[in-house]
Amino acid sequence: MHRTLRIVPATLALAAVLFTAPTPAFAANKDMVELQTQVRALQDAIARLQQSNDERMGVMKDLIQQTTDAVNKMAQTMDGVQRQMRAQSEGTGKNVEQLSGQMQSLNDSLDELKARLGRIEKNIGDVQSQQQSISAKLDSGGGSAGGAAPMTTDTPAPTGKTAAPIVRNGKPSAAIPADDSALPTTPAAPPVEDLYRTAFSDFNGAKYTLASAEFNDVIKYYPDSNLAGNAYFYLGEIDYKAGRFSAAAKNYDKVAEQYPGNPKTAISQLRKGESLLALKQTDAGVRELRSLIQRYPNTQEATAARSKLNALGVTVVPRNR
């Protein structure tokens, strides 16, 4: 009986030791399984993100195609209107003026469509860059032992001072110093197309003060660009709408003087003549309209100028057939 009592406590002590002893091997295996599960979940999430990006890129490409079709249809409409104006140019003074305004509106709408197309293409580029960055991170860390490498990167996050000048495809350029002393002291101007699109969008939105400042930036940073001639024209339009006819005439004159090949040269000369007439400078306005007719005899602007002169009782030499 005493022997049995001694055996029972010993057995209980051994069982307690077995159940309370640490199990490092089992804990390590459990952690590894959890870590592998997390890695698989991360890979599945990245695969879903890539699929979502592919779908969005498909939608954006469809939008580009639709916008391109709309631009082509608009160009065909403009050609039809021009042919109609040439066929009905004689004896239709007020109608010609209205059609001239419609043509200008169509040209502006065409510019806006092109701006929208540029923004869509930029969005596609951003999505592609995002997808490439995610794929690069996954490739660089997917084969590591612990599976934690995909969560980090050695590439420093770009700051406001260094993103544009020294980072290419997410990696610092070795050819450009990374210290602050090598950075430019003033930020570079945006591309002329982006700057012009922003100004034109604000002009269409009747944000004339903001658009005026942005068109002046186009002229300041890109004075030799043909878009600077367009900027002078729209500055003239802003002044004309505000009743500042003298300033408007000067801006319209800049287009003809500095950008003779600009497509808005003829309309700028017409607007200049109208501005001079609004200033009661009748002789100067008549000379400007006659000059327009001589320089661009077969345009809708010349037809509108003839109508203006006829309304003033000024004799106009008929154009050659």
Side-chain angles (χ1 to χ4, degrees):
M1 182 67 179
H2 291 291
R3 174 182 291 179
T4 302
L5 293 175
R6 286 195 298 271
I7 292 173
V8 170
T11 303
L12 293 175
L14 178 60
V17 169
L18 291 174
F19 280 104
T20 59
T23 58
F26 176 75
N29 290 334
K30 182 178 180 181
D31 292 342
M32 183 62 70
V33 170
E34 292 179 354
L35 192 56
Q36 291 175 347
T37 302
Q38 293 175 359
V39 169
R40 285 194 295 270
L42 177 60
Q43 291 174 339
D44 292 341
I46 291 175
R48 288 194 297 272
L49 179 59
Q50 289 176 337
Q51 181 180 1
S52 176
N53 284 342
D54 291 339
E55 293 174 354
R56 286 161 56 186
M57 287 176 62
V59 171
M60 288 182 181
K61 289 179 179 178
D62 290 339
L63 289 175
I64 287 179
Q65 184 61 44
Q66 293 174 8
T67 304
T68 302
D69 293 341
V71 170
N72 292 334
K73 290 180 180 178
M74 185 70 68
Q76 293 174 359
T77 302
M78 290 173 62
D79 290 339
V81 172
Q82 287 176 338
R83 287 194 296 268
Q84 181 182 1
M85 289 179 63
R86 292 191 184 100
Q88 301 177 353
S89 59
E90 296 298 332
T92 55
K94 291 185 178 180
N95 290 336
V96 167
E97 259 189 88
Q98 292 175 356
L99 288 173
S100 178
Q102 291 175 3
M103 284 297 303
Q104 183 61 41
S105 177
L106 287 172
N107 280 324
D108 294 344
S109 298
L110 185 60
D111 289 342
E112 179 61 18
L113 285 173
K114 291 179 180 178
R116 287 175 54 194
L117 183 61
R119 288 194 294 269
I120 292 174
E121 290 177 345
K122 183 178 183 299
N123 289 337
I124 287 181
D126 292 341
V127 171
Q128 289 175 335
S129 298
Q130 180 185 11
Q131 185 173 357
Q132 291 173 358
S133 176
I134 292 173
S135 299
K137 289 181 181 179
L138 180 61
D139 293 341
S140 63
S144 59
M151 302 298 294
T152 62
T153 177
D154 293 333
T155 304
T159 64
K161 295 190 294 181
T162 61
I166 68 169
V167 175
R168 293 188 179 92
N169 296 326
K171 298 181 180 179
S173 172
I176 303 177
D179 58 298
D180 290 340
S181 62
L183 297 176
T185 56
T186 57
V192 62
E193 293 82 4
D194 293 346
L195 198 58
Y196 178 79
R197 278 196 297 265
T198 302
F200 183 76
S201 177
D202 289 331
F203 175 84
N204 280 341
K207 301 176 183 177
Y208 297 129
T209 301
L210 182 59
S212 179
E214 291 164 340
F215 282 128
N216 276 307
D217 284 342
V218 173
I219 297 169
K220 174 183 177 182
Y221 293 112
Y222 304 97
D224 296 328
S225 171
N226 208 33
L227 291 177
N230 289 23
Y232 273 120
F233 171 77
Y234 285 112
L235 287 173
E237 292 287 271
I238 292 171
D239 288 330
Y240 191 92
K241 291 176 185 292
R244 298 186 294 266
F245 301 115
S246 179
K250 292 179 181 178
N251 282 317
Y252 292 136
D253 204 33
K254 291 286 187 181
V255 183
E257 288 181 353
Q258 299 183 18
Y259 308 91
N262 190 283
K264 295 191 181 297
T265 303
I267 186 66
S268 295
Q269 193 166 5
L270 175 63
R271 291 284 195 269
K272 179 185 176 183
E274 292 173 345
S275 299
L276 294 173
L277 293 177
L279 290 169
K280 307 301 181 183
Q281 299 178 17
T282 306
D283 292 340
V286 168
R287 285 196 300 270
E288 196 68 30
L289 295 177
R290 280 180 166 170
S291 173
L292 167 63
I293 295 170
Q294 292 175 357
R295 294 177 65 187
Y296 309 100
N298 298 320
T299 62
Q300 63 266 26
E301 289 82 8
T303 303
R306 290 187 184 92
S307 299
K308 288 284 184 182
L309 293 175
N310 288 332
L312 293 172
V314 177
T315 303
V316 181
V317 178
R319 64 180 177 180
N320 295 327
R321 295 276 181 185

